[in-house]
């Protein structure tokens, strides 16, 4: 099993990318768990036909610890196990601490042993990499980090902040940077801009997702493009990216 945290600034398309990768991995025969780590609880909606699982933090607040994981987990397209952390009451509490509470609950309830995923994907909001948002990378919950970005200045700035945070933990054997995922906005010279940034930060581009209205057309029906049209050229990009990420697990097992 490998756990991969998908980071990036708000609105950059992390959930679209993460869900597309989950769907592609599932079609390729991998067992996948996707955990949405955003108070909006919309990470897994396109794997579940427009529905969302009960947010873990809200469930704990209202009903206490569940007797069974079935109360929190919903099975999505291709058998993907879908969960949403949710968020604290607005204006009260720390989302980073809430993530830690949710992750500890999943460990306590042996979620990973029960569902036995080959790949776990955390979809993490990270406009500002505070100590709390950095929980997955610094607490050892994730093995690798992939950062979704475009060529836009603010997206690259957020990516740089995430990389700097990761490198602060480089001597502690925590999560390692896997690379960047370019979710295109079709700005001029976008691939070159992100390629230059990747070289500057001593990393690489794991995959490139084109700007495609077809993605959003399927999302209107609660689907990823991989589910809606697996033969589409943009779906092929998701399969390529999924296989690149899956290779991290193979390299880890070989080591």
């Amino acid at each position: 099993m490998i756990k991969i945290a998908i980071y990036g600034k708000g609105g950059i398309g992390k959930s679209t990318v993460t869900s597309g990768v989950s769907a592609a991995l599932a079609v390729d025969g991998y067992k996948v768990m996707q955990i949405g780590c955003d108070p909006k609880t919309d990470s897994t909606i396109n794997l579940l036909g427009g529905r969302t699982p009960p947010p873990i933090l809200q469930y704990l607040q209202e009903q206490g610890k569940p007797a069974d994981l079935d109360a929190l987990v919903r099975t999505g397209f291709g058998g993907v196990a879908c969960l949403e952390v949710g968020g604290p009451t607005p204006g009260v509490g720390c989302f980073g601490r809430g993530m830690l509470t949710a992750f500890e609950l999943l460990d306590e309830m042996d979620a990973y042993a029960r569902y036995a995923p080959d790949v776990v994907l955390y979809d993490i909001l990270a406009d500002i990499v505070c100590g709390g948002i950095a929980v997955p990378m610094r607490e050892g919950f994730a093995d690798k980090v992939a950062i979704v970005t475009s060529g836009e200045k603010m997206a690259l700035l957020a990516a740089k902040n995430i990389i700097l945070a990761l490198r602060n933990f480089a001597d502690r054997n925590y999560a390692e940077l896997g690379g960047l995922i370019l979710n295109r906005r079709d700005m001029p010279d976008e691939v070159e801009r992100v390629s230059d940034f990747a070289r500057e930060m001593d990393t690489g581009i794991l995959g490139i997702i084109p700007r495609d209205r077809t993605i959003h057309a399927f999302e209107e029906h609660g689907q990823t493009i991989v589910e809606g049209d697996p033969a589409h050229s943009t779906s092929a990009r998701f399969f390529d990216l999924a296989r690149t990420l899956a290779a991290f697990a193979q390299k880890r097992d070989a080591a």
Side-chain angles (χ1 to χ4, degrees):
M1 176 178 68
I2 190 165
K3 299 177 181 178
I4 302 172
I6 311 292
Y7 278 87
K9 75 178 291 295
I12 200 62
K14 290 183 307 302
S15 296
T16 292
V17 169
T18 306
S19 294
V21 168
S22 288
L25 286 168
V27 171
D28 273 353
Y30 291 93
K31 296 179 70 175
V32 184
M33 176 179 284
Q34 181 170 323
I35 303 175
C37 304
D38 186 324
K40 297 193 301 295
T41 67
D42 59 356
S43 173
T44 58
I45 193 169
N46 292 316
L47 293 166
L48 291 165
R51 302 179 302 278
T52 58
I56 296 172
L57 295 182
Q58 278 81 347
Y59 191 100
L60 290 173
Q61 182 180 28
E62 296 170 6
Q63 303 186 52
K65 179 181 175 181
D68 190 271
L69 285 165
D70 288 342
L72 303 174
V73 182
R74 297 292 181 268
T75 302
F77 171 75
V80 177
C82 300
L83 299 99
E84 296 281 353
V85 169
T89 302
V92 179
C94 167
F95 178 58
R97 179 62 198 173
M99 269 200 299
L100 183 57
T101 297
F103 294 167
E104 288 176 342
L105 176 68
L106 296 178
D107 273 339
E108 183 182 339
M109 298 187 72
D110 294 324
Y112 305 113
R114 173 172 171 180
Y115 290 94
D118 302 303
V119 182
V120 178
L121 297 175
Y122 300 104
D123 174 7
I124 303 171
L125 174 67
D127 281 287
I128 301 173
V129 186
C130 68
I133 297 300
V135 162
M137 62 175 77
R138 68 180 176 85
E139 296 289 349
F141 289 104
D143 305 301
K144 290 282 187 180
V145 168
I147 303 172
V148 180
T149 187
S150 66
E152 297 160 312
K153 181 178 179 180
M154 296 307 294
L156 292 174
L157 178 60
K160 183 175 183 177
N161 287 338
I162 296 161
I163 292 170
L164 293 176
L166 266 175
R167 289 178 177 163
N168 284 334
F169 303 123
D171 60 346
R172 305 183 194 179
N173 200 31
Y174 289 158
E176 298 178 346
L177 178 62
L180 308 176
I181 300 168
L182 171 52
N183 192 30
R184 295 196 62 178
R185 292 293 188 266
D186 284 347
M187 58 185 298
D189 303 319
E190 187 168 26
V191 175
E192 291 78 7
R193 284 172 64 102
V194 177
S195 296
D196 289 345
F197 173 80
R199 282 191 292 272
E200 176 189 341
M201 302 307 297
D202 193 26
T203 189
I205 299 176
L206 299 169
I208 299 176
I209 304 300
R211 189 175 183 88
D212 188 341
R213 293 181 180 177
T214 310
I215 293 174
H216 307 295
F218 283 115
E219 287 183 341
E220 287 294 316
H221 300 283
Q223 295 180 313
T224 65
I225 191 172
V226 172
E227 178 182 1
D229 186 356
H232 195 283
S233 60
T234 297
S235 295
R237 296 294 189 96
F238 279 106
F239 280 107
D240 289 343
L241 175 57
R243 289 160 189 164
T244 297
L245 295 178
F248 287 147
Q250 295 161 6
K251 291 176 182 176
R252 186 167 177 265
D253 292 342

